[in-house]
Each structure stands twice: as C-alpha cells, then as structure tokens.
C-alpha cells in the first residue's frame, strides 16, 4: 500500500474510532510519499540534460569530430539504457520518454554526422533508417508513443523527399504499408487507424505530384483505402478509412469543379490503360462489397469514385457527381429516417450548391449581387432542408 | 528477458550505424582512389556563404557531344562520368551517361546527379555532390584571391567520396 491509499483509508478508521488521529499520523509516517521522488529525479535529469545540451551547443563548432561522435553515441546509449531500466523498474511513462529522447538523438545524430563528414544524400534515406529504428522500438515495447513516432518520421520524411528530391521514398512507403499496416490491422484502434489513413493520403498525394502522374491516379489510391476499410474496422466503431477516403475523393471532385474547365490543364486528358485496369478491378471489388453489404445503401459512396477526365464539360460532370452523391444520401436518409444520413446529405448538398453557384455566377455577376443572391439561396435551401431534417429527428414521416 | 536482449541489439545497431557513417570517412583515406579535378572560377558575386567555399568543377558541365545516354534524362537521375587522368595529374571528362560505363586503365567512373540540360547552349550540368568545402572561419580573404583551383577528391570503392584538399 502506498502513502495516498493509507491516507484515504485511515481517515475512515479515525472517523470510525478504530485508531486515534495521532496513531494515524504515526502510521502515515511509516509510508513515505513515493511519488515525489521520481518527479524530483525527473526534474534533476532534465536540468542536467539541459545544462549539457547548452554546453555542447555553444562549444559544438570548436569540438573535434571524434569528440562530437563520442558525445552523440554516449548520449544515445545512456538514454536508451536509462530508459530501459526506468521502464522495467519504476515507471512506464518515464521510461518511454527516455527511450523517445534516445530515438530523437539517433535521428539528429544521423543528420549531424552527415553534416560533419560532408555526406550528400540524394534521397530521404536518413529518414528511412530513423523510421526503422522507431518501428523496431514499437515492435519490442508495444508502446503507442513509438508507433506515433514512426508515423511522424515517415510522413515528415516523405514530405521532405517530395519537396527536395521530387520523389516518394519507396522503401519507406513499403515500411509504412507492411509494418505499420500490420499494426493497424491487428490493433483496430480508431485513433491509430486515423493517423495511418492521413499519412497514407499524404503519401499518395506526394507520389502523384512528384512522379508527374495524372491526378486521376489519386482515385485509385483513395479507392484502395476505401476497400481496405473492412480490414481495420472494429464492430460498431467509426469506419475511419471509409470516411477518410470519401472526404478525400469528395475534395478531389471539388478541385475538379474548379480546375477541369481550365484551359491550361492539358496533360490531364490523356488516359492510360493501366489506370483503367486497376481502377476497374478495384471498382468491381467495391461493387461486390456493396452487394454483400447488409445495408443496401453502401453503394451510394461509389458514385464519387467514378473518375472524371478533362472534357470540355469535365467541371460540370464533377459537379454533377457531387450533386448526385448528396441527393442520394438525402433521399436515403429521408426514406430510412436515419438522421446521420440526412445530416450528411444536407451538408454536402448545401456545400455543392454553393460550389455550383460560385462556379457559375462569380464571373459575370456583380460582387454584391453575387453574395446577396447566394446568401438568400442558401438560406432558403437550408430552411427547407432543416425542416425536413427535424421531421426525421422527431420520428415523423418525411413525405 | 528476450525482449531486453533484442532491445539492446536494436540500440547496438543504431550506435553501429552512426559509427559506420564516421568510420567510412576515415577508411576512405586507406582504400580510396584519389583524383584531381580542376574547378572553374567561383561565382564572383558570392564566393562565400558562411564559412565554406563554393566549388564548380569543370567536369560538372559538358557539351552534349560527350553525352551518351537517353535524351529524356530528368533532374536528380544518376549520371556516370568517365574521367581520364591526364599528364598534368588532373582528370578530365571523356564521356557521361545514365547507364554504367566501363573504365580502361588510367580511367575512373564517378557518380553524379543530373542538374539540368541547357538546350539553348546545348550542354549538360551535373552535380558531384561536393560543391561545398568548409574552411576555417575568417580565412575568406585568402580563398577569394585564387581564381581556379585543383581539388583532390577521394573515391571509396563503396561509392562514398570526399574532398581531401583544395589547392
């Protein structure tokens, strides 16, 4: 029993006159407060660490390369060993933070040593090595901190790779999909799935942009995420991948509305056989999945995954897709009286209407008239939709 | 217990990776081949940026007659430079390509990255990745005087390279 537990319990004993107040104090003194010690120790460690850091930082340029190496390696090992000891003996959280610091030292060590010895890297390879270390730590300790670190390192590394080297680091993407993918598949934890999904979307965007692929390739990546949803979903929980991919593909169509009508997008019109093949396979998969689904409305999302190319009326088709999508959810929502679907349909319908209005009227309407009319239009629309929605909420029939 | 063991294996691997990065630098002196390259006069507007010299190697730009690769080579692609040692001890470019080249005796192949192709002047520019030479601080004046220099480069069999000296 620890101090705080005794303190709580003994209060009752005094009240019940089992012991006196002075006896209670005597008892309490036998159990010194343990919690304070690690806290003080932590502060001590942080201060000493900060002292070292500032000392090293101010003398770094004057140090010999080998001394710098010694410092980096020494700190790396010291923090790992301390972290492991603390984790097993005292506190998990403190141990994890020590190991996390060591992981950060490893990453910055790669870059510092690279700078010291004039390494030139032509890819995000340092990030790849760093990410392997983070993944290894997760596999060993099963602490979410390391999983999050791994996702963070990989995502930042890929963004860096995209900006600096105009490429996606494929080995890192493979590490992401295989190691972290398996973790997400096994854990089925919504927050982790969310992080994984966002990182996946960022990486597919980097791939398409850096490899000069046509924008419609994004559709294939989004559709893959959509189909992968069944692998990671826990019963009764939010469908993270599905929601993310639908949001992503919806956004893609919004961009389509604005960009597909532009003259300067020329390369977007050429279509590739490989794209059609992959897309068709995935789409058929999604249709089969929809047919097997217990809810009949699963296939409504699939409308969004129909790619729109650059035709003269490509922007109008994108707009049509968005309208169709929101209308279907509205109708389904009213028919089945599922308010979640009505909300989804309402929000997307209002947004699409605004988009259409913006696209059509912005160029030739007087600005103030544009906003006035738009406001009134949206107001009327939301009034009717809201009235309908309330009927559903009350459980009344929406006729 | 097993977990602790694996943990220390992982820690050792990380330390080893950092150490190998450093050892490679020193080992190059032992096993590497040295070549001398001429630099062009540095950009007179800004020869110094911080405490390093910017080096422009002559072999980094060449006319398209020396190019033996495909036409649509992209920025960042690997480019192999075939260099030959001349009588004055300085190496000069024989040809360049995006596929590996076979060196004869007295020749050596150096890897670089494509920078750009200047279609107007009909020449190529590549990057050896050795464009910065760090010098001691406040020695800028001395370096500014010299116009073109001979740089000695060490090439390790495992693909690493470094500047040994600048004259």
């Amino acid at each position: 029993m620890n101090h705080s537990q005794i303190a709580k319990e003994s209060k009752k004993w005094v009240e019940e006159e089992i012991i006196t107040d002075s006896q209670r104090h005597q008892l309490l003194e036998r159990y010194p407060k343990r919690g304070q010690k690690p806290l003080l120790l932590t502060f001590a460690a942080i201060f000493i660490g900060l002292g070292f850091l500032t000392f090293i930082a101010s003398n770094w340029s004057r140090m010999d390369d080998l001394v710098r190496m010694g410092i980096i390696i020494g700190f790396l090992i010291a923090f790992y060993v301390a972290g492991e000891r603390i984790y097993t003996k005292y506190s998990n959280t403190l141990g994890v933070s020590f190991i996390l610091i060591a992981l950060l030292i490893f990453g910055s060590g790669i870059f510092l040593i690279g700078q010291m010895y004039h390494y030139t890297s032509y890819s995000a390879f340092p990030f790849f090595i760093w990410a392997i270390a983070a993944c290894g730590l997760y596999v060993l300790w099963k602490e979410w901190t390391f999983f999050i670190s791994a996702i963070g390192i990989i995502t930042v590394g890929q963004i860096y790779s995209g900006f600096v080297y105009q490429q996606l680091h494929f080995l890192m993407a493979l590490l992401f999909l295989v190691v972290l993918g398996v973790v997400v598949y096994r854990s089925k934890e919504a927050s982790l799935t969310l992080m994984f999904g966002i990182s996946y979307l960022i990486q597919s965007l980097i791939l398409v942009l850096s490899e000069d692929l046509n924008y419609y390739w994004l559709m294939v990546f989004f559709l893959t995420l959509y189909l992968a949803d069944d692998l990671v979903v826990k019963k009764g929980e939010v469908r993270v991948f599905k929601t993310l991919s639908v949001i992503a593909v919806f956004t893609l169509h919004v961009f389509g509305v604005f960009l597909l009508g532009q003259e300067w997008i020329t390369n977007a019109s050429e279509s590739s056989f490989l794209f059609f093949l992959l897309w068709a396979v995935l789409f058929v998969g999604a249709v089969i999945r929809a047919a097997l689904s217990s809810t009949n409305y699963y296939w409504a999302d699939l409308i969004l995954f129909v790619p729109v190319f650059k035709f003269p009326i490509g922007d109008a088709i994108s707009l049509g897709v968005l309208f169709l999508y929101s209308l279907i959810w509205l109708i389904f929502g009213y028919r089945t009286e599922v308010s979640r679907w009505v909300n989804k349909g309402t929000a997307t319908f209002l947004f699409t209407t605004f988009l259409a209005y913006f696209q059509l009227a912005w160029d030739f309407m007087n600005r103030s008239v544009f906003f006035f009319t738009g406001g009134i239009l949206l107001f009327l629309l939301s009034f009717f939709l809201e009235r309908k929605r309330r009927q559903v909420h009350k459980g009344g029939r929406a006729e | 217990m097993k977990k602790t063991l694996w943990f220390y294996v992982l820690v050792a691997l990380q330390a080893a990776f950092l150490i190998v990065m450093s050892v490679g630098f020193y080992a190059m002196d032992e096993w590497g081949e040295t070549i001398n390259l001429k630099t062009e006069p540095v950009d007179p507007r800004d020869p110094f940026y911080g405490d390093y010299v910017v080096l422009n190697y002559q072999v980094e730009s060449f006319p398209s007659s020396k190019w033996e690769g495909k036409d649509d080579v992209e920025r960042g692609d690997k480019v192999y430079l075939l260099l030959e040692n001349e009588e004055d001890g300085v190496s000069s470019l024989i040809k360049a390509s995006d596929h590996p080249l076979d060196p004869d005796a007295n020749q050596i192949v150096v890897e670089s990255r494509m920078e750009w192709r200047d279609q107007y002047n009909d020449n190529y520019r590549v990057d050896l990745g050795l464009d910065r030479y760090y010098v001691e601080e406040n020695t800028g004046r001395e370096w500014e005087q010299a116009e073109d220099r001979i740089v000695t480069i060490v090439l390790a069999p495992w693909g690493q390279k470094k500047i040994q000296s600048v004259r």
Side-chain angles (χ1 to χ4, degrees):
Chain A
M1 277 227 256
N2 62 29
H3 182 88
S4 55
Q5 262 177 307
I6 300 268
K8 225 189 256 169
E9 284 290 307
S10 58
K11 219 174 198 174
K12 282 185 214 155
W13 302 340
V14 175
E15 277 163 12
E16 288 166 18
E17 292 180 349
I18 299 170
I19 53 168
T20 66
D21 202 32
S22 66
Q23 278 173 326
R24 175 176 179 244
H25 281 287
Q26 276 176 335
L27 272 173
L28 279 180
E29 267 167 19
R30 289 196 167 207
Y31 298 87
K33 278 188 188 175
R34 279 256 299 281
Q36 275 178 349
K37 224 167 157 191
L39 192 73
L40 277 178
L41 266 180
T42 317
F43 272 105
I46 290 173
F47 269 66
I48 291 170
L50 280 177
F52 264 114
L53 267 185
T54 46
F55 177 76
I56 291 165
S58 56
N59 289 296
W60 188 254
S61 59
R62 265 174 276 161
M63 280 179 207
D64 188 67
D65 283 346
L66 284 175
V67 177
R68 296 185 203 179
M69 275 300 298
I71 289 172
I72 294 170
I73 302 278
F75 270 82
L76 178 81
I77 291 172
F79 270 94
Y80 269 131
V81 172
E84 194 266 335
R85 287 284 152 83
I86 292 169
Y87 188 93
T88 39
K89 287 202 179 132
Y90 301 101
S91 143
N92 286 10
T93 28
L94 198 65
V96 167
S97 29
F98 267 72
I99 297 176
L100 184 68
I101 291 173
L103 180 67
L104 292 177
I105 293 175
F106 177 60
S108 40
I110 299 176
F111 291 102
L112 280 173
I113 293 171
Q115 199 189 26
M116 262 155 54
Y117 295 124
H118 311 281
Y119 272 82
T120 40
S121 77
Y122 296 111
S123 70
F125 184 72
F127 281 97
F128 175 60
I129 296 292
W130 196 8
I132 289 180
C135 289
L137 286 177
Y138 173 75
V139 171
L140 283 175
W141 296 92
K142 300 280 182 296
E143 287 283 347
W144 295 128
T145 314
F146 302 134
F147 179 84
I148 297 164
S149 322
I151 287 219
I153 292 167
I154 290 176
T155 314
V156 170
Q158 294 288 27
I159 293 173
Y160 171 81
S161 177
F163 272 107
V164 179
Y165 306 112
Q166 284 82 45
Q167 61 179 8
L168 188 84
H169 197 280
F170 281 101
L171 279 177
M172 196 144 70
L174 198 69
L175 182 76
F176 172 77
L177 288 177
V178 174
V179 178
L180 302 186
V182 167
V183 173
V184 166
Y185 170 71
R186 287 215 184 128
S187 75
K188 303 200 183 348
E189 196 81 38
S191 55
L192 300 179
T193 314
L194 180 69
M195 279 186 281
F196 184 87
I198 290 175
S199 183
Y200 172 87
L201 290 177
I202 292 174
Q203 291 185 50
S204 49
L205 195 65
I206 292 170
L207 179 67
V208 168
L209 290 179
S210 61
E211 296 294 320
D212 270 339
L213 293 176
N214 274 326
Y215 71 92
Y216 48 69
W217 275 99
L218 283 171
M219 203 70 101
V220 168
F221 295 118
F222 296 167
L223 197 53
T224 312
L225 190 70
Y226 185 83
L227 282 173
D229 181 70
D230 283 327
L231 297 174
V232 298
V233 77
K234 212 194 239 169
K235 241 189 168 176
E237 291 222 5
V238 200
R239 291 183 160 266
V240 181
F241 277 6
K242 198 182 128 196
T243 316
L244 271 180
S245 59
V246 168
I247 291 173
V249 78
F250 191 89
T251 317
L252 186 67
H253 278 294
V254 171
F255 275 98
V257 171
F258 283 109
L259 297 178
L260 285 181
Q262 304 285 338
E263 293 295 316
W264 49 267
I265 300 185
T266 47
N267 70 333
S269 58
E270 56 185 75
S271 44
S272 95
F273 177 70
L274 185 66
F275 166 76
F276 272 113
L277 194 72
L278 279 174
W279 176 81
V281 169
L282 290 169
F283 199 77
V284 167
V287 169
I288 293 171
R289 169 69 187 80
L292 293 174
S293 165
S294 53
T295 50
N296 290 318
Y297 307 112
Y298 196 88
W299 54 269
D301 287 336
L302 295 186
I303 293 164
L304 284 177
F305 289 101
V306 174
V308 178
F309 301 103
K310 194 200 174 293
F311 308 121
I313 50 159
D315 47 353
I317 295 177
S318 275
L319 202 59
V321 167
L322 292 179
F323 263 124
L324 197 61
Y325 173 77
S326 38
L327 275 176
I328 286 176
W329 280 117
L330 267 181
I331 294 165
F332 282 169
Y334 288 133
R335 201 177 278 169
T336 54
E337 297 182 9
V338 176
S339 59
R340 189 161 43 90
W341 291 353
V342 178
N343 289 344
K344 178 156 59 167
T346 312
T348 50
F349 188 77
L350 281 177
F351 183 77
T352 314
T353 312
F354 181 71
L355 208 65
Y357 177 67
F358 197 86
Q359 174 74 355
L360 296 174
W362 179 260
D363 286 338
F364 59 84
M365 237 189 216
N366 182 298
R367 290 292 167 265
S368 50
V369 178
F370 171 85
F371 284 118
F372 267 128
T373 334
I376 291 165
L377 192 75
L378 281 181
F379 181 73
L380 288 176
L381 205 60
S382 66
F383 176 75
F384 285 117
L385 289 174
E386 181 67 17
R387 209 173 60 173
K388 275 250 177 201
R389 198 175 68 83
R390 279 180 195 209
Q391 284 173 342
V392 173
H393 268 295
K394 280 177 196 154
R397 292 213 59 83
E399 287 303 327
Chain B
M1 204 56 229
K2 215 175 169 192
K3 188 176 102 178
T4 321
L5 181 74
W6 278 113
F7 173 71
Y8 281 108
V9 169
L10 187 66
V11 172
L13 282 177
Q14 290 179 35
F17 179 78
L18 295 181
I19 290 168
V20 165
M21 275 181 83
S22 148
V23 166
F25 186 79
Y26 298 105
M28 281 161 85
D29 293 332
E30 188 70 29
W31 287 288
E33 267 185 88
T34 56
I35 54 164
N36 296 319
L37 292 177
K38 225 178 217 160
T39 61
E40 286 164 347
V42 285
D43 187 347
R45 279 167 304 171
D46 185 24
F48 279 88
Y49 187 77
D51 51 354
Y52 58 80
V53 196
V54 179
L55 299 171
N56 276 323
Y57 299 91
Q58 272 181 359
V59 296
E60 280 183 330
S61 65
F62 49 87
S64 57
S65 57
K66 291 194 174 173
W67 178 252
E68 285 199 350
K70 59 176 193 245
D71 281 342
D72 56 338
V73 64
E74 276 181 42
R75 184 188 163 87
D77 284 355
K78 206 179 254 185
V79 173
Y80 299 90
L81 306 176
L82 184 68
L83 305 179
E84 194 171 71
N85 199 2
E86 293 194 343
E87 280 165 16
D88 56 354
V90 177
S91 298
S92 62
L93 183 77
I94 303 298
K95 59 187 179 186
S97 174
D98 58 342
H99 53 80
L101 297 164
D102 277 329
D104 294 336
N106 212 24
Q107 288 182 337
I108 194 163
V109 173
V110 184
E111 280 180 21
S112 65
R113 297 277 160 167
M114 178 54 71
E115 284 270 288
W116 65 75
R117 182 187 172 184
D118 183 352
Q119 297 206 327
Y120 183 72
N121 289 317
D122 204 24
N123 62 10
Y124 287 81
R125 176 141 196 107
V126 296
D127 178 19
L128 280 176
L130 296 167
D131 288 353
R132 290 177 182 187
Y133 182 65
Y134 291 86
V135 294
E136 269 181 58
E137 270 180 87
N138 303 322
T139 56
R141 289 281 151 226
E142 302 161 32
W143 288 100
E144 224 171 335
Q145 306 301 323
E147 287 241 301
D148 50 344
R149 312 185 182 85
I150 307 286
V151 180
T152 308
I153 287 168
V154 190
L155 302 162
W158 53 91
Q160 223 181 333
K161 50 184 180 277
K162 71 170 177 183
I163 298 173
Q164 195 178 55
S165 66
V166 177
R167 288 197 301 267

